[in-house]
Structures are given as C-alpha cells and as structure tokens.
Amino acid sequence: MEKKLHDTVCEEHLFSSIFKTHSENLYHFLYYKFGDLLNPKDKVQEAFIKLWQNCAKVSPEKAKSFLFTTANNLMLNEVAHQKVVLKHQQQKPKHYTNENPEFLMQEQEYHGKLQKALANLTEAQRVAFMMNRVEGKRFKEIAELLDISTKAVEKRIYGALERLRKDIKEL
C-alpha cells in the first residue's frame, strides 16, 4: 500500500516547515549532548539531507523522530571515529629496523659514494640523469624541457650511468 503524496515530507512547503520547526531544537539537543567540538550544525544539515533522501518513506508525524535519531547516530559515529583517531595518534612508531648494523653502515657508505659520484658528473649529465631517475621524466620530456634532441638526452644519461658505475667501483 503506497502512501499518498501529502502523507510524506517530499512536498517542498512541508519539508521547509519541518526544517523551520525542528532545526534549532535539533541543534540545541546535539550541542547540549555532545558539545561544539563535533560540529553539531553539520550534523543537523546531514540529518535533514537524509530526511530529504528518505522523504517518501517518512510521514510528517514521524519526521521529528527520524531527524533526532539520525542526528544522534551521526554524532555517535563521529565520536567513535574520533576515538579511533586518538588511539592511532597515541601509538608511537617503532624506532628500530630488522637490518643489522653492518648493513646500515654499508648503506651509509654506498650513499656517500653515490653522492661523490654524482658530484663528479658534468652538469649536463647530472641534470638529465636526475630528471630521468629522480623525477621520472621520459627522454622526450627532458629533451623538450632542455631544448635539445632526444639523442642528446640519451647520450647524457648513458654517459652519466657509465661514469657512475666507474666512479662507484673505484671508491
């Protein structure tokens, strides 16, 4: 059995009248119960949006109950969410790794060798190499940015790779 159109809150004037009648009371209810920290005005708006989305299912007599229940549930969900956020903020990240000290020392040494080797590259090689390997740009993009040919970019990057291999082995 379907409800008649005037038995639902889908009519604009009826919905508007419900909003004018209950919005302020709903805000005060949420504010007194939960405080201002969880944005009770937003929850009032969300409750009215849900009422509008379900207007065909809600009769005008049950609109107030629907609004207060929905808004209360929205606030309770927000409270639960804030508890989860707080719990994760209080967890301290672990400050240890599974790598042994020797590996960490070798990693630092290699990083130093790489920095020295990069410093030994020509500026043209270093720019092309870093744009490709660090920024992830393609040869064609680098060529357009540097206003050179794609072959020149290839030559610079391959030259940089050869030089890096040679310098890192020597160090």
Side-chain angles (χ1 to χ4, degrees):
M1 184 168 130
E2 290 186 32
K3 294 182 178 182
K4 297 178 186 174
L5 188 57
H6 65 281
D7 287 341
T8 65
V9 262
C10 291
E11 295 177 33
E12 187 177 341
H13 73 282
L14 189 56
F15 185 83
S16 178
S17 141
I18 291 171
F19 181 81
K20 288 176 185 171
T21 306
H22 300 298
S23 62
E24 191 174 340
N25 291 335
L26 183 56
Y27 168 75
H28 291 301
F29 169 75
L30 295 175
Y31 181 79
Y32 296 146
K33 187 168 181 182
F34 297 101
D36 197 35
L37 218 56
L38 301 174
N39 301 323
K41 286 183 181 178
D42 290 348
K43 301 305 183 250
V44 169
Q45 292 297 321
E46 287 180 48
F48 275 99
I49 289 170
K50 288 192 181 278
L51 176 63
W52 184 253
Q53 290 170 343
N54 295 301
C55 68
K57 302 173 189 173
V58 180
S59 66
E61 298 82 32
K62 298 193 180 208
K64 180 180 178 183
S65 173
F66 179 87
L67 286 169
F68 277 73
T69 303
T70 302
N72 191 50
N73 288 341
L74 289 168
M75 288 298 268
L76 291 173
N77 289 344
E78 185 67 24
V79 168
H81 174 70
Q82 291 302 324
K83 284 182 182 178
V84 170
V85 169
L86 184 63
K87 179 182 174 187
H88 285 287
Q89 286 176 344
Q90 290 175 343
Q91 288 179 349
K92 294 181 181 176
K94 59 183 182 177
H95 294 287
Y96 58 88
T97 62
N98 291 333
E99 288 89 17
N100 62 12
E102 183 181 353
F103 174 79
L104 295 173
M105 187 177 73
Q106 288 173 347
E107 184 180 37
Q108 287 176 346
E109 288 176 5
Y110 182 78
H111 184 69
K113 288 180 183 180
L114 179 62
Q115 292 303 318
K116 286 179 186 175
L118 284 172
N120 289 337
L121 294 175
T122 66
E123 184 180 348
Q125 288 177 329
R126 186 173 41 256
V127 168
F129 179 79
M130 298 301 275
M131 288 176 89
N132 177 255
R133 298 301 166 109
V134 176
E135 296 177 19
K137 295 191 183 311
R138 298 178 184 269
F139 290 0
K140 186 175 180 180
E141 292 174 302
I142 297 169
E144 290 172 3
L145 289 170
L146 299 178
D147 199 28
I148 57 176
S149 70
T150 307
K151 283 291 183 187
V153 172
E154 290 176 14
K155 185 174 180 180
R156 289 179 182 184
I157 292 174
Y158 292 134
L161 286 169
E162 284 181 23
R163 182 91 184 255
L164 287 172
R165 284 187 193 110
K166 179 183 166 203
D167 288 353
I168 289 175
K169 282 183 183 178
E170 288 178 3
L171 297 175

